Amino acid sequence: MSRLERPAVDIQISIEGGDWPEEAQLRALCRKTINAATRYLAEETDQPLPAVAPELSMLFTNDGAMREINGEWRAKDQPTNVLSFPASPVAPGEMPAPMLGDIVLAFETICNEANALERKFSDHLAHLIVHGYLHLFGYDHMTDADADIMEGHETRILATIGVSDPYGNTDPA
């Protein structure tokens, strides 16, 4: 299958809390962002993809729900901006399962961060969607070297959709 024929990602969206934009607006941003990230991974890193469009579940929620999820899965009693749950473990460059996994995003934390960073909410959200998506492909930021790789991918993916470098004037998140 050529790179141009690669399947789109089947994105399932649930909005369960928070003052998120309308579902159609979120869906459009997710589609644009995930398609750019998928295209980048396929073309720039030779990331293999399943022959059938892989599935991705995205949950848009609030800080209260995120705090519970973060407590249950990471033993951290606080909300966070984004969490990713791969359907199965995968390292960068390995074939993912047909179900990529879940990305969970917390409205209030993302809104507060966007304001503090003086960034458009939609740009910061796009960054966190890309960040969460890369985690599903095995990218991480536990070491400085891994963070440099992941942040480089994030920056280049975001540039393809007109979002400026999220790490340009700040310390990496």
Side-chain angles (χ1 to χ4, degrees), residues 81-114:
N81 51 20
V82 61
L83 289 173
S84 296
F85 299 96
S88 60
V90 63
E94 292 180 350
M95 177 65 77
M99 175 57 188
L100 295 175
D102 305 307
I103 298 174
V104 183
L105 299 128
F107 178 77
E108 295 88 349
T109 297
I110 294 171
C111 191
N112 291 338
E113 289 174 349

